Amino acid sequence: MPSRKKIKKIEEQDFHISGPVHLTRAAAWTNPDQGRCIIASLVQGVYCLEYDRLRVLQGKRHRHGAQALAPPWWESIHFRLFRVLEDVDGSIIGAIYEYEHEHPPSPQNPDVPRYVIAFRGIIRKRRIILKDLTSGLGWVLNELQRRSSRFHCAMHEVQQRVAVAGAQNVWLAGHSLGAAIAMVVGKNMVIKKNCLLKTYLFNPPFVGIPIDSLINDEKLKQGIRFASTGVKAILINAVALAGDLHHQQRHDHDSFAAVSRWQPYLFVNKNDPICAGYIDYFRKREEMKQSGAETERIAEKSSIVSLFSSAVFGGDLEASHLLPSAHVTTNTGSTPDVEQAHGIDQWWDRFLISESMLYQYHPH
């Protein structure tokens, strides 16, 4: 007899029980709420593909073929599975979906994708969690695009699809660690290919402490901010002493400014400590606009981790998790615990309570 926890987990993977069933008819792509629900459903499809694979590995044949739980997450919203993306260990990290259009997409209809490339986050299963956490550590250490096989797989597939279909017909999406991968791929496509891909980033991990979201004491907040600014100033000076600051500044300023033309859709929850730091980051950016201090200009695109990496190991001064520009949607509703605040399912809730803001970076 399966436990309640296992039954609940299986129900969460069943589209007909937990999915956006209100989208089973043709959705209006020009409606941003419906578009968000559709893309979130496709991301959940990647999670379910991997859960189906793991169950088959365990000999659970009822998750194979027609009994698999993954297909309804895309078939019910008129997509087909074009390709599964696998890491070197065989785990499914992403999927390419093709929209089954009644009419082919055209430049006059940019709100409809031809392909959506989606990436999952961490799955807490013994067979794959270590690999997932290793990629997560690469994100935290600002080393994801250098060392992660997932990033290289994602970058290759995205470049291939864009070369075939054109940038306007390829969208990116991801949740949690998958959002981190989509973010870095999206940045690279701007810098290296001059392609601005429409991108949905659900709960991407922010490398830092979400001070405003987690701490209520104003004096403590100010103290942490002061300490953080002081540490950044010391590290910036250390990079300068290493003789690399001016070169890095020119490179990072150029790339940060170039990426500012890209405006991904960023979805965060104020009660999720994993991604809530983005709320603080963009809010602080707005406050810093009046400041012309060199330290502040460097700090807005750098983190303590990226500065330390640059000072000690010669790594990138620019933090890979920081976005110059973004359409930020914040779930302001009630979420009872961190797991729900970080979950992908909140983003296909048609009763979502949220507020949105466009933050645009203007190069100095």
Side-chain angles (χ1 to χ4, degrees), residues 36-37 40 202-203 267-268 331 343-349 352:
R36 182 198 71 237
C37 294
F202 300 103
N203 303 81
F267 300 91
V268 296
N331 183 348
I344 185 66
D345 58 313
Q346 66 189 292
W347 302 115
W348 63 69
D349 183 355
L352 176 72

Side-chain angles (χ1 to χ4, degrees), residues 23-24 27 29 34-35 37-42 70-82 95-101 111-117 169 171:
L23 295 177
T24 52
W29 281 98
Q34 293 201 70
C37 294
I38 292 168
I39 303 301
S41 182
L42 295 177
W73 290 95
W74 57 84
E75 291 176 352
S76 298
I77 48 177
H78 311 291
F79 279 83
R80 75 178 186 91
L81 183 62
F82 180 81
I96 303 176
Y97 302 102
E98 184 175 20
Y99 187 51
E100 297 179 324
H101 296 274
D111 294 313
V112 180
R114 180 176 174 187
Y115 296 100
V116 176
I117 305 179
N169 294 320
W171 293 13

Side-chain angles (χ1 to χ4, degrees), residues 44-77:
Q44 175 68 355
V46 182
Y47 279 105
C48 290
L49 276 167
E50 178 62 354
Y51 278 120
D52 283 346
R53 184 187 76 90
L54 290 172
R55 295 290 285 181
V56 171
L57 285 178
Q58 295 168 357
K60 311 292 186 182
R61 304 303 294 178
H62 61 277
R63 294 290 291 265
H64 181 69
Q67 284 72 47
L69 291 182
W73 290 95
W74 57 84
E75 291 176 352
S76 298
I77 48 177

Side-chain angles (χ1 to χ4, degrees), residues 149-163:
S149 58
R150 296 188 181 194
F151 165 76
H152 293 295
C153 169
M155 193 69 193
H156 171 76
E157 293 290 345
V158 171
Q159 286 179 310
Q160 191 175 59
R161 275 302 92 206
V162 168

